[in-house]
Amino acid sequence: MKTKTHLLASSLVLATTVSSFAQGVDKSAANYREGKLDDYLKLATQSIESNSEDLPENFNADTLYETLGLTSISSYSQSSTPEGTEWVNKIQLNNGGKNEGILKLLTDSKHKGLVIPEMAPAGTDLALQLTLNLSSAEDIISQLVGMGDEEDSTELKEGLSSEVPMLGVTTSELLKKLDLRLNFALDLDASEKLPTPVGEFNKPHITGRIDGISWIWDKVGAMAIGGTGLPFTKADEDGISTYSLPPEMAAQFMGYSPIIRVDSTKDQVWLSSTPDFLEKCTSDTNTLADSEAFKATMKNIPRDGVSMTYASKEFYDFLASTVGNLKKTGMLDGADEVTKSQLDTAIKE
C-alpha cells in the first residue's frame, strides 16, 4: 500500500448494455468521430479478401460478422483526449442493448455490477474484472467451425459430447453451466523490493477471486490441493473453507504465503499471495473505490458495467522498467520486429 498520491491512471469499462457506454465518449474532443460500423467492417472484409487463398472453401465474411455479433452493432462513436503525457481513449458501440455473439459472452451474465473497486484495496496498481458467460459459446463455436471442412465439425461434436473428468458432465453441459466473474487485484509495495533476474521491483501482492465456480471446487478442490504437494491446512467456519500454509514456509517463497478461501455461501473462490493482502481485499474498508486516483480516473465513465480494467501510473512505470530491463539483458532479441515495435509504443512516454 502506498501513501503517495497516484497520478492519472487508465481504465476501460464494458457496460452491461454496450449503448450505455455513450456516457464516457467525449463529444467535444477535436478528434471525436462517429459513423456506421460498416466503416470498420469494410476494412476487415478487404483484409480478408486479400488473404482469401488461406481461408477454408466455405468461409463467408458475412457469416463471421453475424456469428461474432458485429452485425447487431449499428453505429459507433469514439474520442481520444490528451491528458498530460497520456491519452484517454473511449469508444461507444451502439447495438440498442441487444448483445449477440462475443458481446453476449462478455455482457449477459448473472453477475451484475462492478465489484472490483470495492474488493481491491486503496492503492491497488492493477485491478481487473471480467464476466464470461459461456452458455451460448457452443453455438458460436459450431457456426465458426461449420465454415471449415466436415472433419472439423465431426471432431467438435465428439469433443462436446465427451464427459469432463471428475465433473460428471459433458463439455457441452459444462459450457452451458459456466457463468463466471473473474476479479484480480495487484498492488506494488514500494516498502519492499523483490529481486529478479532482470532487476529489483516493488514487491507485488496479488489477490484473485472467481465467482460462480464453487460447485467445481467441490468436485476437484481436494485433488487440486493434494496435487500441490504442499502442507496446506484446512479451516472451516460459517460456510467458508480456508487453506493456508505454515507461516514459517514463507521464507521458501520469497516472503509469500499463498492462501485459498472458498466461500460456498457467496459462490466465490479466492486465491491470494499472502493472508494480509487477502484480509485487505475482504475487509470492505479503505477500498480502491474510495481513493482519489480511482475517482479521477472514473470521472464521466459509467459505473454500471460488468467488466473493467484500471491501472495506475506506478503500474505503467513498472511495466516500462520491466520491458527496459528485458531489452538491456538481450532477452527480447529473439522477438520479431512487430512485437518490439508494440512494446516500444506501449512504454513510450
Side-chain angles (χ1 to χ4, degrees), residues 116-313:
I116 189 64
E118 280 73 32
M119 175 189 133
T124 292
D125 292 297
L126 181 64
L128 308 174
Q129 177 179 324
L130 173 68
T131 60
L132 191 62
N133 183 355
L134 297 179
S135 60
S136 62
E138 182 177 338
D139 292 336
I140 296 174
I141 297 171
S142 296
Q143 290 181 58
L144 293 176
V145 173
M147 291 191 290
D149 55 43
E150 186 174 344
E151 183 180 351
D152 292 333
S153 295
T154 300
E155 289 182 0
L156 176 63
K157 291 178 181 178
E158 291 176 351
L160 291 171
S161 62
S162 62
E163 185 169 305
V164 181
M166 300 187 67
L167 295 187
V169 295
T170 65
T171 301
S172 176
E173 292 168 336
L174 176 61
L175 289 175
K176 288 181 172 61
K177 288 171 66 73
L178 288 178
D179 185 0
L180 315 175
R181 179 165 58 197
L182 313 175
N183 311 282
F184 177 85
L186 179 149
D187 180 67
L188 297 169
D189 186 354
S191 68
E192 189 173 355
K193 300 298 181 181
L194 184 68
T196 75
V198 292
E200 288 188 339
F201 300 116
N202 292 347
K203 186 175 181 178
H205 297 290
I206 299 170
T207 290
R209 190 186 88 197
I210 305 178
D211 303 336
I213 67 162
S214 62
W215 69 275
I216 294 180
W217 181 270
D218 290 341
K219 295 178 179 295
V220 304
M223 185 187 71
I225 290 292
T228 66
L230 297 173
F232 278 101
T233 58
K234 180 183 178 184
D236 294 311
E237 183 178 0
D238 298 328
I240 299 176
S241 298
T242 302
Y243 302 83
S244 56
L245 293 172
E248 58 270 19
M249 289 193 67
Q252 303 177 36
F253 297 98
M254 296 186 294
Y256 292 114
S257 184
I259 183 170
I260 299 169
R261 179 178 294 182
V262 182
D263 189 337
S264 299
T265 61
K266 295 182 179 179
D267 198 7
Q268 298 171 345
V269 176
W270 297 76
L271 175 63
S272 186
S273 55
T274 65
D276 287 344
F277 194 57
L278 177 61
E279 182 61 30
K280 290 179 180 179
C281 291
T282 56
S283 67
D284 295 325
T285 60
N286 194 26
T287 67
L288 181 64
D290 299 325
S291 69
E292 293 304 317
F294 183 79
K295 291 177 181 178
T297 301
M298 297 296 291
K299 185 179 180 181
N300 298 323
I301 295 179
R303 298 295 186 92
D304 59 346
V306 292
S307 300
M308 64 162 286
T309 300
Y310 167 91
S312 72
K313 181 62 168 59

Side-chain angles (χ1 to χ4, degrees), residues 17-91:
T17 58
V18 180
S19 58
S20 68
F21 194 63
Q23 302 172 54
V25 176
D26 182 7
K27 293 186 177 182
S28 65
N31 56 358
Y32 171 80
R33 181 182 176 184
E34 61 181 12
K36 301 294 184 182
L37 192 69
D38 288 347
D39 296 351
Y40 287 110
L41 294 184
K42 288 176 181 177
L43 294 175
T45 301
Q46 291 173 5
S47 176
I48 289 172
E49 290 176 347
S50 66
N51 295 279
S52 58
E53 66 277 2
D54 299 323
L55 297 173
E57 182 179 350
N58 296 328
F59 180 84
N60 183 283
D62 291 335
T63 300
L64 173 66
Y65 302 152
E66 183 176 356
T67 302
L68 295 179
L70 299 180
T71 54
S72 66
I73 300 173
S74 58
S75 62
Y76 73 91
S77 61
Q78 63 186 46
S79 64
S80 295
T81 307
E83 188 78 46
T85 61
E86 313 290 339
W87 285 83
V88 179
N89 302 306
K90 302 175 182 177
I91 186 169

